[in-house]
Amino acid sequence: MIKSVESFFEESKKWKKEYAFLRMIILETDLKEDFKWGKPCYTFHGNNIVLIHGFKDYCALLFNKGALLKDDKNVLVQQTKNVQAARQIRFTDNEEIKKIESVIKTYIFEAIEVEKQGLDVKMKKTSDFEMPNEFKQELEKNSDLKKAFNLLTPGRQRGYLLYFSGAKQSNTRSNRIEKFKEKIHSGKGLND
């Protein structure tokens, strides 16, 4: 398990050169390097601005409030339809990073300005998330489950709603709901 920024960069195999280059670009700004969620995270006055992370097919810079950036160069990617604030710039090699190095710096400085201005992404409320019919029906016939679900934190509620609605088939949604009833009754979230 990676335990520090240095070990992240030293132990990385697939994106080692790309990570090093991205790190160099970021450290040329006024951001402070930190280590959060097992990734190098760069902050301004303690607030998260951007982090470096990687996946099988790409490495990326993740801007925590990327949805507020102008994205004049159309390089920001929303990871999934449910990601509300964060946006990525993805890379598959150092050449891609070199091509847009100035754009990366511009976006970092814009992200710092967003933070200085105290801007926040307007997040959807839990009630704005889709509730699958199978779960609605289950809550209607099981008042104890409905009460337990309503007592969960909004984040835990969203986790369940996203997980249940993520299944394409009704049978799969019903099976997921059945599997997690006990956790909901226990006041636990999907990953607790």
Side-chain angles (χ1 to χ4, degrees):
M1 184 173 163
I2 298 173
K3 296 182 180 166
S4 70
V5 171
E6 292 308 321
S7 64
F8 176 88
F9 290 107
E10 290 168 9
E11 295 174 25
S12 296
K13 292 177 177 54
K14 184 163 186 167
W15 304 109
K16 193 171 195 123
K17 291 178 190 172
E18 291 79 9
Y19 287 159
F21 192 25
L22 291 169
R23 181 186 201 192
M24 181 202 72
I25 293 168
I26 296 169
L27 290 177
E28 291 175 352
T29 70
D30 293 332
L31 297 180
K32 180 182 176 226
E33 189 171 62
D34 204 340
F35 189 67
K36 298 180 180 183
W37 310 287
K39 310 283 183 258
C41 182
Y42 300 87
T43 64
F44 181 78
H45 296 291
N47 296 309
N48 303 329
I49 302 296
V50 65
L51 64 82
I52 297 173
H53 62 163
F55 299 89
K56 180 181 167 189
D57 297 327
Y58 64 90
C59 65
L61 288 178
L62 180 84
F63 289 88
N64 291 60
K65 294 182 181 179
L68 297 177
L69 301 180
K70 291 181 192 116
D71 196 19
D72 295 332
K73 301 299 180 185
N74 200 30
V75 294
L76 295 175
V77 176
Q78 183 177 2
Q79 259 181 299
T80 70
K81 69 176 184 157
N82 296 314
V83 173
Q84 295 180 62
R87 297 293 184 271
Q88 296 177 325
I89 302 178
R90 296 177 176 176
F91 309 97
T92 57
D93 60 43
N94 264 345
E95 288 306 311
E96 288 182 356
I97 299 169
K98 286 178 190 171
K99 283 180 188 174
I100 66 164
E101 181 176 354
S102 64
V103 172
I104 294 168
K105 287 180 182 175
T106 299
Y107 281 42
I108 291 171
F109 288 121
E110 185 182 348
I112 292 169
E113 285 304 311
V114 163
E115 199 57 48
K116 283 181 181 177
Q117 293 174 30
L119 302 177
D120 285 313
V121 175
K122 188 174 187 254
M123 305 295 263
K124 292 191 317 187
K125 296 177 185 170
T126 302
S127 59
D128 295 333
F129 283 82
E130 176 189 349
M131 181 178 290
N133 286 332
E134 296 83 358
F135 193 49
K136 277 184 201 170
Q137 291 168 359
E138 190 63 39
L139 294 179
E140 287 169 4
K141 69 181 183 183
N142 186 335
S143 61
D144 288 340
L145 182 63
K146 183 176 184 175
K147 182 179 178 184
F149 183 75
N150 288 332
L151 289 173
L152 294 173
T153 63
R156 286 181 172 147
Q157 289 177 0
R158 285 189 299 273
Y160 282 117
L161 293 176
L162 290 171
Y163 181 65
F164 296 157
S165 63
K168 293 178 182 170
Q169 297 183 3
S170 177
N171 189 42
T172 306
R173 288 190 292 274
S174 295
N175 288 339
R176 287 181 179 185
I177 293 163
E178 190 62 37
K179 180 179 176 184
F180 284 96
K181 279 186 193 177
E182 190 54 44
K183 269 192 147 181
I184 294 170
H185 280 293
S186 299
K188 295 182 178 179
L190 191 65
N191 299 310
D192 291 342

